[in-house]
Amino acid sequence: MATPQLTKSSIKGCFGDILIDVRASQYLTPMPAVLIAPGFKGFKDWGMFPLFAERVARAGLTAISFNVSGSGVDDEGRFAHPERFGHNTFSAELEDYRAILTALDRGALGVPTPSSVGAVGHSRGGGLATLLAASTDRIGALVTWAAISRVGRWSPETRQAWRDRGRHDVVNTRTGEVLPLYLDTLDDLEAHADRLDIEAAARRIAIPWLIVHGEADETVPVAEANVLKEASRGAETLLVAGAGHTFGSTHPFQTMTEATDLVFGATVSFLSRHLD
């Protein structure tokens, strides 16, 4: 297999540009493609994601990594657009995912229309990838890493304080930056509860699905993987003993852990089996 090449694209999203990295070893022949979705406060260049995208491309698949338009993150990995982050919603992210899929199918990302498409999503990205897979027949295989099983992540007390103040602050523990979340998120959750029901979406998914979760996940409890598994139509599961939310990966990336290598290998193998 030839060495993968990286090209960059951008398309219009709900709040501005969606920044897209394409890694492929073949830019002339249609190949299976894989959407790689980071989680909340995550971005395409965080820690393990570039290395994973490289491994996907070396396996003969086209890797599509991206920052949604409401991520607030620029191409250097900086939270350069905090207002976009503040107004972002689950529904807007899902619309951005669909825009990426449409651009990919139109050949607008520098590679031919893929023969098939898979999706890999981490944490919040895993929940959204589940919603996407349940809403289109274009996704042929799904892998979720440490995925959330519900979008309502905040207690009633936090929600009330959020509404009273008009914003809820979250801290980027890596940089110490305080990032706002405005009322858009709460309004979206309440207005589109049915459309954003991840557990209900899981019941509709009939494609091959691999659920990966660290047994020591400190952010999204492994119980949420069990919810998705029970709702699914027979999804495969990989529970990683001793692994936390990012399977030992950090940003900046430092070293390949046994857990990260296991997750990468299992994911690429699963996708290679089910995409053609």
Side-chain angles (χ1 to χ4, degrees):
M1 185 62 64
T3 301
Q5 297 181 16
L6 168 65
T7 59
K8 292 180 175 288
S9 299
S10 65
I11 61 174
K12 292 300 180 184
C14 292
F15 298 103
D17 285 344
I18 304 168
L19 305 179
I20 303 171
D21 286 357
V22 178
R23 289 177 175 84
S25 57
Q26 176 56 260
Y27 279 77
L28 298 177
T29 304
M31 304 288 286
V34 178
L35 306 183
I36 303 172
F40 184 58
K41 294 185 290 183
F43 48 96
K44 62 183 176 63
D45 295 306
W46 188 95
M48 60 187 170
F49 291 114
L51 289 173
F52 174 66
E54 183 79 8
R55 188 174 294 193
V56 167
R58 287 187 180 277
L61 309 170
T62 299
I64 310 294
S65 308
F66 53 89
N67 293 347
V68 294
S69 61
S71 69
V73 181
D74 65 12
D75 208 41
E76 303 300 320
R78 300 170 300 195
F79 276 93
H81 308 289
E83 290 299 294
R84 295 183 189 176
F85 177 89
H87 291 291
N88 192 28
T89 65
F90 286 95
S91 291
E93 287 198 39
L94 195 55
E95 286 305 308
D96 278 6
Y97 285 27
R98 293 190 179 109
I100 296 165
L101 190 56
T102 297
L104 183 60
D105 276 343
R106 288 178 177 171
L109 300 183
V111 290
T113 301
S115 55
S116 56
V117 182
V120 177
H122 177 249
S123 194
R124 173 167 166 155
L128 285 160
T130 303
L131 293 171
L132 178 68
S135 67
T136 175
D137 59 7
R138 189 61 174 108
I139 302 298
L142 173 66
V143 182
T144 52
W145 294 351
I148 61 173
S149 63
R150 53 186 174 81
V151 296
R153 314 301 296 175
W154 301 274
S155 69
E157 294 77 16
T158 297
R159 291 191 187 202
Q160 187 57 56
W162 190 344
R163 286 212 173 275
D164 290 345
R165 187 177 175 221
R167 61 181 282 172
H168 173 64
D169 290 336
V170 296
V171 178
N172 183 341
T173 54
R174 178 174 58 88
T175 65
E177 295 170 281
V178 178
L179 303 169
L181 285 178
Y182 300 117
L183 295 178
D184 307 60
T185 297
L186 286 183
D187 293 341
D188 181 50
L189 293 179
E190 293 174 0
H192 304 118
D194 290 343
R195 188 170 71 190
L196 297 175
D197 188 331
I198 297 171
E199 186 176 351
R203 298 190 189 100
R204 300 194 300 273
I205 292 177
I207 59 173
W209 181 6
L210 174 63
I211 297 171
V212 181
H213 217 103
E215 290 185 335
D217 193 325
E218 68 288 357
T219 303
V220 179
V222 70
E224 298 202 40
N226 296 331
V227 169
L228 295 176
K229 168 63 177 176
E230 291 173 6
S232 76
R233 302 182 184 182
E236 298 180 33
T237 57
L238 172 61
L239 300 182
V240 185
H245 191 57
T246 60
F247 311 107
S249 181
T250 59
H251 185 80
F253 188 84
Q254 295 180 351
T255 185
M256 179 68 71
T257 67
E258 183 177 346
T260 303
D261 190 55
L262 172 64
V263 170
F264 281 13
T267 300
V268 171
S269 176
F270 183 86
L271 293 169
S272 296
R273 291 198 312 271
H274 294 292
L275 297 175
D276 53 28

